[in-house]
Amino acid sequence: MKTAHPKKVKRALVLSGGAARGAFQVGVLQYLENRNWRPDLICGSSIGAIHAAAIGAGLGAESLLRLWRTAPRKRMKGFAPVSMLRRLLSRQTPFSLAEADSIRKILLAEIDFTRLAASETSVAIAAVDLATAKTVYFTNEEITVDHVLASAAAPVFFPWRAAGGRPYFDGGLMANTPILPALERGAEEITAVLLSPVSAGLLPPPRSFFRIVETAFEMMLAGPFQAALDAYRAAGGRSPEIRVIAPPRMLGLLSLANYSRRQVDQLIAEGYKAARQAMGG
C-alpha cells in the first residue's frame, strides 16, 4: 500500500463487500451526506471498493442511487443462462460464470480515475494477491479500473483480474471489512458499514439448515474484521471510536445476487434508517 496521502486521518469510513447487498451502503451514504459527515479515508472491499473509488472520485449518494437503479440490469446480462452455459463448457481461462466487461464499461463511464488520484479524500481498496495469498491495499494514485475490478473479482462468478502485472482475487475473501488501513493511519473515529448483522450485535442461535449455513458463512466473512481489531489492540494500538452500521436482520444468501429494484430500494431504506439510529439522529 502506498502512502501518498500521509495527512492526519480523523474520520475513516470502512465499506464491506457483499455484492447486491451493497445497496444498503447507499442508504447509509445518503444519511451521512445529510449529516455533512465526511471521511478523510475510505476503505473498501468488493462492492465496498467500487463505492469507495466512486466517492473518492467525487460521486455522491444520489449518483450511486441512480446507478443502483439502472446499472444492475446491464450487469446481470453477463449472468444470462445461455452465456453462463457457454462459459461453463468452454476452455477459456481464467474460468468464470460471467464476464466483467459490462461492469468495466460502467466504471469507466462513471468514475474519473484522474480525479480519484488527486482527491483530498484518501482511498484504500483491498484485493488478494493470487501468487502470495496475501491481502494488499491499493491507494488513490495507483488505483485504475483494473484494481477496482480485482477487488470485486468474486471467484467463479467473475474472472480473477490482473492489475499492475499481478493476478488478484476479490478482497472480500480475506478482508471483507478492511479496517486495517484506518487503524494503521491512526483514525480517531471509524464508521464501519457491514452488510450482515453478524458481529454487529447479539444474534439468536440458528436452527434451520439454511440459517446455520448462512450464519457460518457470514461468520467467516466477519472473522478477519475481528482478527484485525484484536491484533491491533494486542500490539498496543490505541483504540479509536468505532461505530458499526449494519442491517438489523439476516438477509439470506440469495440476497447476494438479488439486484431487483425491490431489494435495492428496501436495502437503501434500511441503510438510511440504520445509519440514523447508529449516529443518534
Side-chain angles (χ1 to χ4, degrees), residues 13 15 26 29-30 40 42 50 60 64 69 77 89 100-101 133 137 156 177 183 188 196 211 224 249:
L13 178 65
L15 302 175
V26 178
L29 293 169
Q30 282 183 315
D40 305 303
I42 309 174
I50 293 175
L64 293 176
R69 287 177 172 170
K77 288 180 180 179
L89 298 176
D101 290 346
Y137 295 94
V156 177
T177 306
L183 294 172
E188 299 175 12
S196 164
R211 184 53 59 83
R249 60 188 175 90

Side-chain angles (χ1 to χ4, degrees), residues 144-207:
T144 66
V145 66
D146 289 321
H147 292 94
V148 177
L149 289 171
S151 183
V156 177
F157 291 99
F158 293 106
W160 54 259
R161 198 77 186 183
R166 297 185 69 85
Y168 296 97
F169 260 163
D170 193 305
L173 288 175
M174 299 181 74
N176 197 53
T177 306
I179 195 172
L180 188 58
L183 294 172
E184 291 181 337
R185 291 281 301 276
E188 299 175 12
E189 176 185 347
I190 300 176
T191 296
V193 185
L194 311 185
L195 296 179
S196 164
V198 170
S199 81
L202 298 177
L203 295 173
R207 301 190 182 280

Side-chain angles (χ1 to χ4, degrees), residues 67-211:
L67 284 173
W68 271 95
R69 287 177 172 170
T70 57
R73 290 194 296 273
K74 300 176 184 177
R75 178 175 182 172
M76 294 311 292
K77 288 180 180 179
F79 287 99
V82 173
S83 175
M84 290 176 65
L85 181 60
R86 186 181 299 118
R87 296 178 71 84
L88 186 64
L89 298 176
S90 76
R91 295 183 178 180
Q92 181 175 340
T93 58
F95 171 80
S96 65
L97 289 175
E99 49 80 26
D101 290 346
S102 60
I103 307 174
R104 180 185 175 87
K105 291 177 181 177
I106 293 170
L107 294 179
L108 286 174
E110 299 291 340
I111 298 177
D112 184 340
F113 287 92
T114 301
R115 184 174 180 180
L116 172 61
S119 176
E120 285 296 311
T121 303
S122 298
V123 172
I125 62 175
V128 177
D129 189 317
L130 275 174
T132 64
K134 293 182 179 180
T135 304
V136 296
Y137 295 94
F138 305 116
T139 55
N140 298 58
E141 292 76 9
E142 62 192 321
I143 294 174
T144 66
V145 66
D146 289 321
H147 292 94
V148 177
L149 289 171
S151 183
V156 177
F157 291 99
F158 293 106
W160 54 259
R161 198 77 186 183
R166 297 185 69 85
Y168 296 97
F169 260 163
D170 193 305
L173 288 175
M174 299 181 74
N176 197 53
T177 306
I179 195 172
L180 188 58
L183 294 172
E184 291 181 337
R185 291 281 301 276
E188 299 175 12
E189 176 185 347
I190 300 176
T191 296
V193 185
L194 311 185
L195 296 179
S196 164
V198 170
S199 81
L202 298 177
L203 295 173
R207 301 190 182 280
S208 70
F209 170 77
F210 290 106
R211 184 53 59 83

